[in-house]
Amino acid sequence: LFQGVGITMVLISIFVTIYYNVIIAYSLYYMFASFQSELPWKNCSYWADENCSRSPIVTHCNVSTILGEIIQVNKSWADIHNLNCINGSEIYQP
């Protein structure tokens, strides 16, 4: 009746061993990588834009009002009032 308990304990032990080994491997990798003169995580390199982001956060932008004037507003305020930002006027948070 309890024959499956032993097999289950062996499987759980294997999964826990793999889990801890992955954590130790990451720790050792970053420890030895930190001894380099230029740290690998100093730059954003190829995966991001100049603000180190994959999806930049817009804080402000220019919108056109009903009267035709262009004003700079907070992006969340423009979204609440259903206003569209003028292309190229977005100000990104670094």
Side-chain angles (χ1 to χ4, degrees):
L1 180 67
F2 294 107
Q3 182 177 351
V5 174
I7 296 172
T8 305
M9 289 175 60
V10 169
L11 290 176
I12 290 174
S13 296
I14 290 171
F15 289 135
V16 169
T17 303
I18 292 171
Y19 172 75
Y20 282 123
N21 283 330
V22 168
I23 292 174
I24 291 171
Y26 273 121
S27 301
L28 291 174
Y29 170 75
Y30 283 107
M31 184 182 73
F32 286 112
S34 69
F35 292 131
Q36 297 178 6
S37 61
E38 183 168 334
L39 298 175
W41 51 85
K42 179 180 178 183
N43 303 357
C44 298
S45 66
Y46 64 90
W47 62 268
D49 61 1
E50 65 275 357
N51 292 325
C52 290
S53 173
R54 289 185 189 178
S55 56
I57 300 171
V58 178
T59 57
H60 294 81
C61 67
N62 293 338
V63 296
S64 179
T65 62
I66 297 172
L67 301 174
E69 56 188 37
I70 296 174
I71 58 172
Q72 185 178 23
V73 296
N74 190 328
K75 176 70 167 103
S76 60
W77 186 86
D79 290 340
I80 291 171
H81 291 86
N82 294 326
L83 297 172
N84 293 328
C85 293
I86 298 173
N87 286 340
S89 69
E90 295 88 1
I91 298 174
Y92 297 105
Q93 177 182 357

